[in-house]
């Protein structure tokens, strides 16, 4: 199965700053079949990005995804207070579907 | 808009079978446009895909759980269900149901709120 490694484990930033989250796959993710989710404490994950770069319905354009092959990035251009959360990547290019271990974006 | 809601016992004894149901509202589980999935998250840990089902009954399971998992669908009630047998403390987790688009893409949207299942005697 494909192992996804997210870095850093924790990102300490201030509102208004740019956040860059990395997701590296143990083997190439076919067709850029990669998604990103946001999870806040006590809540279910929320889909942000699918197909590596397509924003889900209702997701603000400050969230963007990029990458291909084994290296993918989620960028939050300017952090809003509601963006401080845990972010997970997920691949679906190879069965079974797998998730990364998460990156926590915390207020500095 | 479609909403999903998990239900079932919050406490299961070791070696017994965990049973959960997901009720779909705001859309038909029989529409054919989606698969219906279960995902779990142990407390303080990451996410693990369990499996998904199509309205016709076709199922796809995570190989790591396949021997213990059964997912079924009841189109008349607009529900799908999860059974996980021979549970241990390692199966303690928040269990989520979610929708998956039919086609080559497997992403989860939306999710139910989740239900915590604790395995303990």
């Amino acid at each position: 199965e494909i192992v996804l490694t997210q870095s850093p484990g924790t990102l300490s930033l201030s509102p208004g700053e740019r956040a860059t989250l990395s997701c590296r796959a143990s083997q190439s993710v076919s067709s850029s079949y990669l998604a990103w989710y946001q999870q806040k404490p006590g809540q279910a994950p929320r889909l942000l990005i699918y197909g590596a770069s397509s924003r889900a319905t209702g997701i603000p354009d400050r969230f963007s995804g990029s990458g291909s092959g084994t290296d993918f990035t989620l960028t939050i251009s300017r952090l809003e207070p509601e963006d401080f959360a845990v972010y997970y990547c997920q691949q679906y290019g190879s069965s079974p579907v797998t998730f990364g271990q998460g990156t926590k974006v915390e207020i500095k | 808009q479609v909403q999903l809601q998990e239900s079932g016992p919050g406490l299961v004894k070791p070696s017994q079978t965990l049973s959960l149901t997901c009720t779909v509202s705001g859309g038909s589980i029989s529409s054919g446009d989606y698969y219906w999935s279960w995902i779990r998250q142990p407390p303080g840990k990451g996410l693990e895909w369990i499996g998904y089902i199509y309205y016709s009954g076709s199922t796809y399971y995570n190989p790591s759980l396949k021997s213990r998992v059964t997912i079924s669908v009841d189109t008349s009630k607009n529900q799908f269900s999860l059974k996980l047998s021979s549970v241990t403390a390692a199966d303690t987790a928040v269990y989520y149901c979610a929708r998956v688009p039919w086609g080559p893409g497997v992403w989860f949207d939306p999710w139910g709120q989740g239900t915590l299942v604790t395995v303990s005697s």
Side-chain angles (χ1 to χ4, degrees), chain A residues 1 33 35 37 39 42-47 49-51 56-57 88 90-92 95-101, chain B residues 6 39-41 44-49 52 61-64 96 104-114:
Chain A
E1 72 177 43
Y33 282 161
Y37 300 85
Q39 187 177 34
Q43 296 185 17
R46 177 175 70 142
L47 177 70
I49 301 287
Y50 63 92
T57 303
Y88 293 95
Q90 172 238 319
Q91 69 81 26
Y92 49 95
S95 186
V97 164
T98 52
F99 292 86
Q101 84 282 13
Chain B
E6 305 88 351
I39 302 124
R40 69 180 183 178
Q41 184 173 36
K45 296 187 178 181
L47 298 157
E48 181 179 32
W49 170 66
Y52 53 78
Y61 299 139
N62 190 325
S64 68
Y96 296 101
V106 181
W107 58 85
F108 306 100
D109 179 53
W111 299 54
Q113 65 182 30

Side-chain angles (χ1 to χ4, degrees), chain A residues 31-95:
Chain A
S31 304
S32 295
Y33 282 161
L34 190 109
W36 289 94
Y37 300 85
Q38 176 194 69
Q39 187 177 34
K40 297 179 181 179
Q43 296 185 17
R46 177 175 70 142
L47 177 70
L48 300 175
I49 301 287
Y50 63 92
S53 60
S54 297
R55 268 188 303 275
T57 303
I59 301 303
D61 60 8
R62 64 179 181 273
F63 290 92
S64 63
S66 63
S68 63
T70 60
D71 290 293
F72 297 87
T73 300
L74 175 70
T75 301
I76 311 171
S77 58
R78 296 172 308 279
L79 283 164
E80 297 288 341
E82 62 268 27
D83 298 336
F84 291 91
V86 178
Y87 292 83
Y88 293 95
C89 58
Q90 172 238 319
Q91 69 81 26
Y92 49 95
S94 173
S95 186

Side-chain angles (χ1 to χ4, degrees), chain B:
Chain B
Q1 65 189 39
V2 68
Q3 293 183 311
L4 295 86
Q5 178 68 58
E6 305 88 351
S7 59
L11 181 64
V12 180
K13 289 181 168 51
S15 81
Q16 293 191 342
T17 296
L18 177 160
S19 296
L20 296 173
T21 295
C22 181
T23 300
V24 178
S25 59
S28 173
I29 207 169
S30 303
S31 70
D33 294 328
Y34 301 99
Y35 294 97
W36 305 92
S37 186
W38 288 98
I39 302 124
R40 69 180 183 178
Q41 184 173 36
K45 296 187 178 181
L47 298 157
E48 181 179 32
W49 170 66
I50 299 170
Y52 53 78
I53 191 166
Y54 196 52
Y55 80 98
S56 63
S58 298
T59 52
Y60 306 84
Y61 299 139
N62 190 325
S64 68
L65 296 168
K66 187 175 183 178
S67 64
R68 299 194 292 131
V69 171
T70 301
I71 298 177
S72 59
V73 64
D74 187 337
T75 56
S76 67
K77 294 182 179 179
N78 226 34
Q79 295 176 334
F80 63 106
S81 299
L82 168 70
K83 291 188 186 299
L84 181 65
S85 63
S86 305
V87 297
T88 69
D91 295 310
T92 293
V94 175
Y95 285 76
Y96 296 101
C97 57
R99 188 181 69 175
V100 177
W102 183 87
V106 181
W107 58 85
F108 306 100
D109 179 53
W111 299 54
Q113 65 182 30
T115 187
L116 174 63
V117 178
T118 302
V119 178
S120 175
S121 56

